[in-house]
Amino acid sequence: MTAATTPDQIWVESRRRLIPGTVIGSIIEWYDIAVYGQAAALVFGTLFFPSFSKTAGVVAAFATFGVGYFARPVGAMIFGHIGDRYGRRFSLVCTLLLMGVATVVIGLLPTYASIGVLAPVLLVICRLLQGLGVGAEYVGAVTMVAEFAPVKRRGFFASLPASGVFIGIGLAATVSAAVAALPEEQLMSWGWRVPFLFSIVVVAIGLLIRLRVPESPVFTELKEARARTRVPALALIKAMPRRLLLVMVANGVLAFNIYVVQTYSLSYIAGKGVAKSVALIAVLVGCAVGAVVIPLLGTLSDRSGRRPVYIAVSAFCALVAFPFFWLLDTRSTALILLAFALALGGCLAMFGSQAAYYSELFPAEFRFSGFALGREIPGAVLAGPAPVISVGLVSLGGGSPTLLAVAMIIVAVAGLVAVVALPETRGIDLAPIVDPDAKPTTPRTSAPTAAPDSRPIGTF
């Protein structure tokens, strides 16, 4: 092997295109999610469900938000299959285009006042298409970076696409806050469309960058060795069902708690008379905190291990649930900003250790599919319905968020227990093991660790 083809040299040559190319996809993904969630909380009930009562309209709008999450596991299977069979890069280009186009079309939709019941039907269709693309976007980006990055800094570099999460949410909050400041008539007539139409600019930039991103060296090795599985998702379920289930439970905080904070809480404080702009600025503050903390936790996971960091953040998410609502109930702008800094910035910081951890928990042959399904199945069960569940629990509590805070604690503790049952993975080799008994022909960073079911990571 010449110096020009060593893993370190490949990383140096690819990093300048790879990092921006993967981060931009996360920005678009979470911009789309956040813009839709904010619009569902603030305007969609009136625009698309005007014949409902105010509360029922908000519930219906949140239900359309949840529909996209039922499509995400399907997207995870489709694009996870494409990523494991035909290439990580090709899958990422497909998801980027699908998400972006669906979001722009939402901004062009006529409302209920123009075409009646067909308006919410078209909204749901667009949301389903959005969900299909989102189902594998972030996973593909992280997988690409993890498979390129030096093993000793994998946690840090794999966390960088997650920083796009906060940039995307923050960008959405900024644009939404700007249009929310418009007079009510202008907001409802054309202002709400601006955040969706703005997506076309971000998608165009993202596509130009992503088309220049090289293919993952791990997938290239899989392809050359003819080691790809025919149906990666099926191979995954047969090989390590327990691990997949534990990953799903571990992802509960990001599948439920975050959407309570990011989406439902906007409606919650609006009902207390807090200005819409304050709520959106609070989201922006939380994103700024998360953007700083994520790479720090990624670096910490490189030094201390993935599990300790993940466990600590899960515990923090449980502890912050009640204080979050106590701070919101004060109606104080400063304390609301603090609430979002703790709950949104703190809980989303879990991405810092999750990125490398989930990539390392699954072997190369079905890594994309395993990571995607592990994230998106709990998303369909918890994330999509989270705003509706929140409305129900608060109503059941007579307007008190106590039951909702308890639910957030239960989800966080369950995730913590699941991570305790998973192995530590820091330092393992992500390259495919085509023949475990043969000496590798390329340098490996370290030996694979043993999986709970006695299979080495990277084998069936």
Side-chain angles (χ1 to χ4, degrees):
M1 175 178 290
T2 64
T5 59
T6 64
D8 287 344
Q9 185 64 31
I10 292 173
W11 168 247
V12 170
E13 293 176 354
S14 304
R15 185 172 59 190
R16 291 183 181 179
R17 287 176 290 168
L18 177 67
I19 299 300
T22 51
V23 170
I24 194 70
S26 294
I27 292 174
I28 295 169
E29 173 185 351
W30 285 84
Y31 175 85
D32 293 349
I33 292 171
V35 162
Y36 194 99
Q38 290 157 11
L42 303 175
V43 300
F44 276 178
T46 301
L47 292 171
F48 289 90
F49 305 96
S51 60
F52 291 11
S53 67
K54 184 176 180 179
T55 301
V58 171
V59 171
F62 280 148
T64 65
F65 177 79
V67 162
Y69 282 85
F70 292 110
R72 286 174 67 159
V74 178
M77 291 188 67
I78 293 172
F79 294 108
H81 179 87
I82 291 172
D84 284 328
R85 285 283 298 167
Y86 305 105
R88 322 301 200 203
R89 178 178 174 273
F90 177 63
S91 179
L92 286 176
V93 170
C94 293
T95 57
L96 181 72
L97 286 174
L98 185 57
M99 287 188 312
V101 170
T103 302
V104 172
V105 171
I106 290 173
L108 299 172
L109 287 179
T111 62
Y112 189 93
S114 299
I115 60 172
V117 71
L118 184 59
V121 171
L122 293 175
L123 181 65
V124 169
I125 291 173
C126 288
R127 183 63 183 144
L128 285 169
L129 294 175
Q130 225 183 22
L132 287 175
V134 169
E137 169 58 39
Y138 167 76
V139 171
V142 170
T143 300
M144 281 278 283
V145 176
E147 291 181 343
F148 268 102
V151 65
K152 291 184 179 180
R153 300 200 68 196
R154 186 185 293 149
F156 169 73
F157 283 113
S159 74
L160 293 182
S163 67
V165 170
F166 294 93
I167 297 171
I169 296 174
L171 182 61
T174 301
V175 177
S176 295
V179 300
L182 292 170
E184 189 77 8
E185 182 179 349
Q186 294 181 28
L187 173 64
M188 292 298 180
S189 62
W190 59 267
W192 69 271
R193 299 181 185 274
V194 173
F196 293 97
L197 296 177
F198 181 74
S199 181
I200 195 170
V201 177
V202 188
V203 170
I205 295 171
L207 187 60
L208 288 174
I209 296 174
R210 185 156 286 182
L211 287 172
R212 299 178 64 242
V213 172
E215 181 55 87
S216 160
V218 171
F219 178 79
T220 300
E221 187 175 345
L222 272 176
K223 185 177 180 180
E224 291 175 350
R226 300 181 182 275
R228 291 170 291 173
T229 59
R230 185 174 297 276
V231 184
L234 183 60
L236 162 69
I237 293 170
K238 288 181 177 179
M240 42 183 61
R242 177 177 178 271
R243 178 166 298 187
L244 178 61
L245 179 61
L246 289 173
V247 168
M248 291 179 191
V249 177
N251 195 59
V253 169
L254 292 175
F256 182 74
N257 296 34
I258 182 178
Y259 289 100
V260 173
V261 175
Q262 179 187 321
T263 303
Y264 169 73
S265 63
L266 302 184
S267 177
Y268 179 81
I269 59 178
K272 293 183 175 296
V274 177
K276 295 176 181 177
S277 58
V278 171
L280 294 172
I281 291 171
V283 171
L284 187 58
V285 169
C287 291
V289 173
V292 173
V293 175
I294 277 185
L296 294 177
L297 290 184
T299 299
L300 184 60
S301 77
D302 283 328
R303 298 176 180 177
S304 304
R306 317 299 184 207
R307 290 173 73 244
V309 175
Y310 207 116
I311 289 169
V313 177
S314 297
F316 177 83
C317 291
L319 293 173
V320 80
F322 273 105
F324 174 68
F325 287 105
W326 294 339
L327 292 170
L328 295 188
D329 287 341
T330 66
R331 304 181 189 178
S332 163
T333 298
L335 293 180
I336 289 173
L337 297 182
L338 176 61
F340 277 80
L342 291 171
L344 185 58
C347 292
L348 275 174
M350 186 174 286
F351 279 113
S353 58
Q354 184 203 68
Y357 194 28
Y358 285 13
S359 298
E360 293 166 343
L361 281 169
F362 298 104
E365 293 82 352
F366 44 75
R367 177 170 296 130
F368 201 134
S369 297
F371 195 157
L373 291 173
R375 286 191 77 245
E376 301 309 336
I377 290 178
V381 175
L382 293 174
V388 176
I389 292 171
S390 300
V391 172
L393 290 175
V394 172
S395 297
L396 190 62
S400 168
T402 298
L403 292 177
L404 179 55
V406 169
M408 294 170 70
I409 292 171
I410 291 172
V411 170
V413 171
L416 187 155
V417 173
V419 176
V420 170
L422 286 166
E424 177 58 64
T425 60
R426 178 177 57 125
I428 73 159
D429 182 16
L430 295 186
I433 301 177
V434 180
D435 181 0
D437 297 323
K439 293 183 178 180
T441 57
T442 58
R444 297 186 183 274
T445 54
S446 62
T449 59
D453 55 8
S454 299
R455 296 179 180 88
I457 294 177
T459 66
F460 303 109

